[in-house]
């Protein structure tokens, strides 16, 4: 099958395309960038259709050229989207509807990716979760065949670091912690990192998404969300401690942890977790997911190997290291 992947040049999108190809299918990338980022993010030679998910005609054109769509493209960010919610609302809501209209018009299977913090009151969570309800409506009343995979925090190699380490506009947990630990900088944790926010290896997210797509293609349209996350929950602080321990074992000075106030749009003591048992509905045993310790070590090793190419230390620290 030729499977369209909106946002296919993004972090999760690249892994989804690789999973699609590993299963013998063909990936058709739909993105507003012709290529992935430089260096480790450079896209391999797969077919790319340039377009914007807000463009209904472009989305119908994508549907006309593939056998199904996995919809990943979105405006990301929790606190980043609060002061200006319109881009998240326009892109995520309108883009989600365009995806649903397109697959319904051509009677194609599809998968929509939801967010683990679906209940939080920030523009990202609100707009993403509203589309989950549209999926239910389309499946019930329009005959669409779309499954929803709600992923918790995906992490792994190739995730873009934000300032002061890289050009990312949205600060993600793992790159922020790993880069700071490798540079000997204090690891900053919002709310002290005491909130539970489960982490899941990005390759496992890709596996869940493609499995949910194959289920939809085979006629299994679930009446509930598949939640992609670990069996055992952990706090952000524990994630940071694991990274700091691993970095120290690799010969780097031990970084300290500094507590910061919670960010707007997030709640102290929040619990972002998944019902991993729902993965069985798309043929995945939760016990087969990559463990947190193993995944974080692979990620730390990748950031060590790509320092200066994928990310850089802030200038004063970079100069001091010479």
């Amino acid at each position: 099958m030729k499977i369209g992947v909106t946002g296919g040049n993004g972090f999760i999108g690249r892994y989804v395309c690789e999973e699609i190809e590993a299963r013998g299918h063909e990936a058709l990338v739909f993105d507003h960038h012709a290529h992935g980022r430089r260096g480790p993010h450079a896209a391999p030679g797969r077919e790319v259709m340039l377009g914007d998910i807000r463009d209904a005609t472009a989305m119908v054109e994508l549907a006309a050229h593939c056998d199904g769509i996995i919809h990943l493209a979105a405006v990301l960010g929790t606190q980043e989207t609060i002061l200006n919610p319109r881009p998240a609302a326009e892109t995520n809501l309108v883009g989600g509807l365009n995806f649903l209209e397109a697959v319904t018009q051509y009677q194609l299977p599809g998968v929509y990716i939801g967010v683990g913090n679906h209940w939080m009151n920030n523009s990202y969570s609100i707009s993403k979760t509203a589309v989950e309800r549209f999926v239910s409506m389309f499946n019930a009343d329009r005959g669409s065949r779309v499954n929803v995979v709600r992923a918790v925090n995906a992490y792994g190699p190739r995730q873009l670091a934000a300032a002061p380490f890289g050009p990312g506009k949205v600060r993600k947990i793992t790159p922020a912690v790993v880069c700071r630990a490798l540079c000997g900088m204090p690891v900053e944790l919002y709310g002290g990192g005491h909130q539970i926010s489960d982490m899941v290896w990005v390759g496992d997210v890709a596996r869940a998404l493609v499995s949910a797509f194959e289920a939809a293609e085979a006629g299994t349209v679930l009446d509930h969300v598949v939640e992609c996350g670990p069996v055992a929950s952990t706090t952000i602080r524990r994630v940071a401690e694991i990274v700091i321990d691993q970095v120290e074992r690799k010969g780097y000075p031990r970084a300290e942890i500094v507590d910061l106030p919670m960010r707007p749009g997030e709640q102290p003591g929040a619990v972002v977790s998944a019902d991993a048992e729902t993965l069985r509905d798309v043929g995945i045993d939760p016990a087969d997911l990559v463990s947190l310790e193993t995944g974080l070590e692979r990620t730390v090793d990748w950031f060590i190997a790509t320092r200066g190419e994928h990310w850089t230390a802030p200038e004063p620290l970079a100069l001091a290291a010479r």
Side-chain angles (χ1 to χ4, degrees), residues 220-243:
T220 301
V221 181
L222 301 171
D223 60 1
H224 58 273
V225 171
V226 174
E227 299 189 31
C228 186
V231 174
S233 295
T234 189
T235 64
I236 294 300
R237 194 174 192 90
R238 180 58 188 147
V239 171
E241 289 168 347
I242 293 172
V243 169

Side-chain angles (χ1 to χ4, degrees), residues 296-312:
L296 287 174
E297 184 155 25
R298 292 178 187 173
T299 305
V300 168
D301 288 342
W302 185 85
F303 272 91
I304 291 172
T306 59
R307 181 170 178 166
E309 180 183 9
H310 176 78
W311 67 283
T312 56

Side-chain angles (χ1 to χ4, degrees), residues 1-255:
M1 299 179 69
K2 178 182 283 190
I3 305 173
V5 183
T6 68
N9 278 332
F11 170 55
I12 296 176
R14 287 283 309 281
Y15 283 89
V16 169
C17 290
E18 290 164 3
E19 181 70 19
I20 287 169
E21 291 159 352
R23 299 190 188 200
H25 306 299
E26 180 183 353
L28 169 58
V29 172
F30 182 90
D31 210 307
H32 56 200
H33 296 296
H35 303 286
R37 302 177 183 93
R38 294 177 298 171
H41 281 261
R46 59 175 62 100
E47 185 179 357
V48 177
M49 179 181 290
L50 290 179
D52 191 315
I53 61 172
R54 295 172 298 180
D55 183 341
T57 301
M59 288 295 288
V60 170
E61 186 73 5
L62 170 64
H65 286 83
C66 64
D67 301 308
I69 298 173
I70 297 176
H71 182 52
L72 306 176
V75 168
L76 309 180
T78 51
Q79 70 168 2
E80 295 87 355
T81 60
I82 288 176
L83 294 179
N84 184 13
R86 191 174 299 276
E90 291 179 346
T91 303
N92 300 348
L93 287 169
V94 175
L97 284 172
N98 287 340
F99 153 69
L100 288 168
E101 292 283 8
V103 294
T104 303
Q105 176 173 328
Y106 283 95
Q107 299 180 326
L108 303 180
V111 171
Y112 174 75
I113 187 170
V115 294
N117 60 349
H118 57 95
W119 45 267
M120 285 188 179
N121 281 329
N122 58 70
S123 309
Y124 176 51
S125 300
I126 292 168
S127 57
K128 287 288 293 179
T129 306
V131 178
E132 286 189 16
R133 297 184 64 180
F134 278 119
V135 170
S136 296
M137 184 189 82
F138 270 71
N139 285 346
D141 300 323
R142 299 277 301 276
S144 60
R145 293 180 290 148
V146 177
N147 285 326
V148 176
V149 174
R150 187 186 287 161
V152 294
N153 287 298
Y155 73 95
R158 304 200 299 248
Q159 192 167 25
L160 193 63
F165 307 102
K169 303 302 182 186
V170 177
R171 176 169 164 162
K172 294 294 186 178
I173 296 167
T174 310
V177 171
V178 172
C179 291
R180 285 183 170 272
L182 290 174
C183 290
M185 298 171 65
V187 173
E188 299 175 336
L189 299 181
Y190 296 110
H194 298 295
Q195 64 275 33
I196 291 174
S197 188
D198 282 349
M199 312 287 289
V200 62
W201 177 250
V202 63
D204 287 331
V205 176
R207 190 154 59 103
L209 288 162
V210 180
S211 295
F213 176 87
E214 291 181 336
E217 194 277 331
T220 301
V221 181
L222 301 171
D223 60 1
H224 58 273
V225 171
V226 174
E227 299 189 31
C228 186
V231 174
S233 295
T234 189
T235 64
I236 294 300
R237 194 174 192 90
R238 180 58 188 147
V239 171
E241 289 168 347
I242 293 172
V243 169
I244 291 169
D245 288 344
Q246 291 179 346
V247 168
E248 185 180 29
R249 286 199 299 270
K250 296 177 189 297
Y252 292 80
R254 186 172 184 82

